[in-house]
Amino acid sequence: MSTKVTESHWDQNGKILFTSLKGNVDEADIFAWKHTLSVAVASIPTNTEFKVLLDLNGFDPVSISAHKAMRNVIPELLATHGLRPAFIDLFDEKPEMIISCDDGKRCTAFANVHHDPNKMADYRKRIGGDRQQFFTDKDQAAQWLNGLT
């Protein structure tokens, strides 16, 4: 069994919200991760533009219900902070998602890191863009985000 990592933090200098979900995780772990994410988002000052780096390298849900509990968290975060999630384009029937930015905290870019190189290559090809990209290496993702203005 792998070590679980469920953490999130706000980097004021780089204006990046880092969040990690790794290891064999269950629904309780997803709940704990969502809490760390809420706390980190709350620490972002109002009227701030920020970027998100999601690190799922080693993420392994122990059940379908754990996977389902996880898969809407980031798209909802992006949508409620002004960035249309590219994940929507993976579906034939696009889910209805309202893009808003009520708290003045605006997400301007998203980097997703995952251990499956085939999945990340597919996502880059199908839904990657100038504001949302997919990586297998956290450092490359951070470098890409840091290079954006």
Side-chain angles (χ1 to χ4, degrees), residues 41-110:
V41 169
S43 70
I44 299 173
T46 301
N47 298 321
T48 298
E49 289 187 347
F50 68 98
K51 304 163 196 166
V52 174
L53 192 156
L54 170 63
D55 186 0
L56 296 174
N57 208 340
F59 170 66
D60 188 19
V62 298
S63 66
I64 294 293
S65 58
H67 185 265
K68 286 181 179 180
M70 179 281 295
R71 71 177 174 200
N72 292 325
V73 173
I74 294 299
E76 288 174 5
L77 172 81
L78 299 177
T80 58
H81 291 90
L83 185 64
R84 181 185 177 278
F87 290 118
I88 291 172
D89 296 328
L90 291 172
F91 304 102
D92 291 333
E93 291 186 31
K94 310 288 186 255
E96 183 150 340
M97 186 160 283
I98 297 170
I99 311 303
S100 64
C101 190
D102 297 336
D103 63 2
K105 301 172 186 181
R106 180 169 299 281
C107 182
T108 61
F110 169 66

Side-chain angles (χ1 to χ4, degrees), residues 14-31:
K15 301 224 183 294
I16 297 176
L17 174 64
F18 290 96
T19 187
S20 298
L21 183 61
K22 301 178 178 192
N24 297 331
V25 298
D26 58 23
E27 290 176 75
D29 299 318
I30 303 299
F31 181 79

